[in-house]
């Protein structure tokens, strides 16, 4: 069978790491026809849109896509292509599994955390306005519908992936109404999953525990902004954004992604670490039911990183993107 998958190479190091990812997927034996599309700055220059209609059409049709990082101007300019894609395709789940490679981060060996982030509302939605000059307000909207939907995803994920516990992360001691509603919804959903343990933790304590005692966590579910911050904290435990995969999932479409940025400082220099996008491709293959191919890729990546002889400079090595990709392909046997 041939899968047709939308590929967004993105900006900066995006094209280099996507080329590496496509080589590894080909070596896994899964047959993929890449439907290449533009987004972000490149798309703006050629189509006048950051997220062109052709891209959305491709993702709706193929239902699965993978993307490199997209440059977003800070404090001005166009809205993030990532946020636009999440909204347009209702990709309501931000999924970030973090499994620490012990040889890379021995102090965090055994950490295996999955962050499930609500992707559509909360403070991160950026609903801001100026009340009078010098006073601005940013709205945090939490709805029962979106919270039950994300909580149900977290419990279903736990059940289907052999996980034991879901922890809801909140600040309901202060934001009694918004985070209070979030917790009420999580509790209602939890009651339908007696086989999965459920507990709750206040976000500031959670941040500390993630550093002091991270192996106590399993699946974490939280609103958008908390998820944005804590998923990067978890990535830090594993060795940074260059080594963890990510996905944005909806009921009709799944978009896998390297969660790091476009790294303009090293673009075009054969220095980018391709791990994040390669592990995201493995997540994608699991989503497609190609579990064996996904496992082969993950094992090969872990082996190459654990050996530390052919890794990129961010992991303390001297290898280039291409050489590290060669090593991963070779490790797949
Ligand atoms: P960045 O992640 O691009 O870079 C931060 C540092 O990490 C840099 O020193 C960079 O060289 C390094 N780095 C990142 N990925 C790496 C990799 N795979 N291998 C080796 N080193 C790597 O973050 P920054 O500088 O804040 O953002 C640059 C641009 O990327 C901005 O326009 C930002 O909006 C965009 N961005 C896009 C994201 C996405 O599309 N998912 C996510 C984060 C940022």
């Amino acid at each position: 069978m041939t899968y047709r998958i939308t590929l967004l190479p993105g900006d900066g190091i995006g094209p280099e790491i996507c080329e590496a990812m496509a080589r590894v997927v080909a070596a896994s034996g899964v047959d993929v026809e890449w439907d290449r599309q533009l987004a972000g700055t490149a798309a703006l220059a050629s189509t006048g849109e950051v997220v062109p209609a052709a891209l959305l059409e491709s993702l709706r049709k193929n239902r699965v896509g993978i993307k490199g990082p997209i440059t977003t101007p800070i404090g001005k300019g166009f809205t993030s292509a990532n946020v636009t894609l999440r909204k347009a395709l209702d990709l309501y789940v931000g999924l970030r599994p973090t499994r620490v490679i012990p040889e890379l981060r021995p102090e965090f060996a055994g950490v295996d955390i999955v962050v499930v982030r609500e992707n559509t509302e909360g403070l991160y939605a950026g609903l801001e306005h100026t009340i009078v000059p010098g006073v601005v307000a940013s709205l945090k909207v939490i709805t029962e519908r979106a919270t039950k939907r994300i909580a149900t995803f977290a419990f279903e994920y736990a059940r289907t992936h052999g996980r034991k516990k879901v922890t809801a992360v909140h600040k309901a001691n202060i934001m009694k109404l918004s985070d209070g509603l979030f917790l009420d919804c999580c509790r209602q959903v939890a009651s339908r999953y007696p086989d999965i343990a459920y507990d709750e933790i206040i976000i500031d304590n959670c941040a500390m525990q993630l550093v002091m005692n991270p192996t106590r966590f399993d699946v974490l579910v939280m609103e958008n902004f908390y998820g944005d911050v804590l998923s990067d904290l978890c990535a830090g435990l594993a060795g940074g954004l260059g080594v963890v995969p990510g996905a944005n999932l909806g009921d009709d479409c799944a978009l896998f992604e390297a969660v790091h940025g476009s790294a303009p400082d090293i673009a075009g220099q054969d220095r980018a670490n391709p791990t994040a996008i390669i592990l995201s491709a493995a997540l994608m293959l699991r989503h497609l039911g190609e579990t064996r191919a996904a496992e082969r890729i993950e094992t090969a990546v872990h082996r190459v990183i654990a050996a530390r002889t052919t890794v990129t400079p961010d992991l303390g090595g001297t290898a280039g993107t291409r050489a590290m990709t060669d090593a991963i392909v070779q490790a797949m046997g």
Side-chain angles (χ1 to χ4, degrees), residues 1-8 31-38 53-66 89 91 248 250-256 284 287-288:
M1 151 161 205
T2 302
Y3 296 99
R4 191 170 160 81
I5 294 174
T6 304
L7 174 61
L8 291 165
D31 196 15
V32 172
E33 186 190 326
W34 300 107
D35 177 4
R36 287 168 198 272
Q37 298 287 335
L38 292 179
L55 164 60
L56 289 176
E57 200 180 299
S58 160
L59 282 166
R60 286 197 180 105
K61 198 163 142 217
N62 298 330
R63 303 187 67 176
V64 179
I66 186 161
L89 300 164
L91 303 173
N248 294 291
D251 291 333
D252 302 318
C253 184
L255 183 58
F256 298 82
M284 179 181 78
H287 173 84
L288 293 169

Side-chain angles (χ1 to χ4, degrees), residues 24-331:
V24 172
V25 170
S28 79
V30 177
D31 196 15
V32 172
E33 186 190 326
W34 300 107
D35 177 4
R36 287 168 198 272
Q37 298 287 335
L38 292 179
T41 325
L44 193 64
S46 63
T47 69
E49 288 173 299
V50 180
V51 174
L55 164 60
L56 289 176
E57 200 180 299
S58 160
L59 282 166
R60 286 197 180 105
K61 198 163 142 217
N62 298 330
R63 303 187 67 176
V64 179
I66 186 161
K67 63 175 274 297
I70 298 173
T71 299
T72 309
I74 295 173
K76 58 182 170 57
F78 59 80
T79 308
S80 151
N82 300 311
V83 174
T84 308
L85 282 165
R86 284 177 206 158
K87 277 191 186 151
L89 300 164
D90 197 19
L91 303 173
Y92 62 89
V93 181
L95 185 72
R96 286 267 212 107
T98 298
R99 190 144 55 95
V100 167
I101 299 171
E103 292 82 355
L104 184 61
R105 303 285 282 177
E107 63 277 41
F108 294 123
V111 170
D112 186 4
I113 300 171
V114 178
V115 172
V116 174
R117 162 186 175 185
E118 204 292 320
N119 246 352
T120 65
E121 57 181 31
L123 200 53
Y124 193 92
L127 298 175
E128 297 184 314
H129 61 282
T130 300
I131 299 173
V132 292
V135 183
V136 298
S138 190
L139 298 177
K140 167 164 167 161
V141 177
I142 298 289
T143 66
E144 187 177 325
R145 175 180 169 271
T147 308
K148 283 192 172 163
R149 184 164 77 156
I150 198 70
T152 303
F153 176 90
F155 279 94
E156 282 295 326
Y157 181 94
R159 190 176 266 174
T160 52
H161 290 76
R163 298 279 175 161
K164 304 224 163 357
K165 186 172 73 176
V166 172
T167 302
V169 182
H170 67 95
K171 190 76 184 175
N173 50 331
I174 302 299
M175 281 166 273
K176 294 179 195 298
L177 288 182
S178 54
D179 282 16
L181 175 62
F182 187 87
L183 283 187
D184 279 348
C185 294
C186 287
R187 287 173 195 158
Q188 284 176 43
V189 172
S191 68
R192 302 204 312 261
Y193 295 84
D195 50 320
I196 308 291
Y198 170 72
D199 65 2
E200 297 165 355
I201 188 165
I202 295 177
I203 184 165
D204 37 346
N205 181 26
C206 183
M208 182 187 70
Q209 299 284 339
L210 277 169
V211 176
M212 305 277 296
N213 192 13
T215 50
R216 65 174 267 185
F217 295 112
D218 191 344
V219 176
L220 297 174
V221 62
M222 63 199 83
E223 67 96 69
N224 208 344
F225 184 60
Y226 301 160
D228 183 53
V229 178
L230 289 193
S231 55
D232 274 20
L233 196 162
C234 290
L237 301 176
L241 295 180
V243 294
V244 291
N248 294 291
L249 310 172
D251 291 333
D252 302 318
C253 184
L255 183 58
F256 298 82
E257 65 171 349
V259 291
H260 55 72
S262 52
D265 53 333
I266 55 165
Q269 297 171 30
D270 192 37
R271 285 170 63 87
N273 180 354
T275 302
I277 193 102
I278 291 173
L279 290 180
S280 299
L283 263 192
M284 179 181 78
L285 293 179
R286 281 182 191 280
H287 173 84
L288 293 169
E290 298 286 353
T291 313
R292 268 174 56 93
E295 277 167 5
R296 274 184 70 205
I297 293 175
E298 286 162 355
T299 307
V301 168
H302 288 199
R303 249 186 233 154
V304 168
I305 292 181
R308 302 189 82 162
T309 45
T310 323
V311 293
T312 44
D314 59 305
L315 297 181
T318 53
T321 312
R322 287 192 206 97
M324 185 168 172
T325 310
D326 289 344
I328 292 168
V329 168
Q330 207 171 19

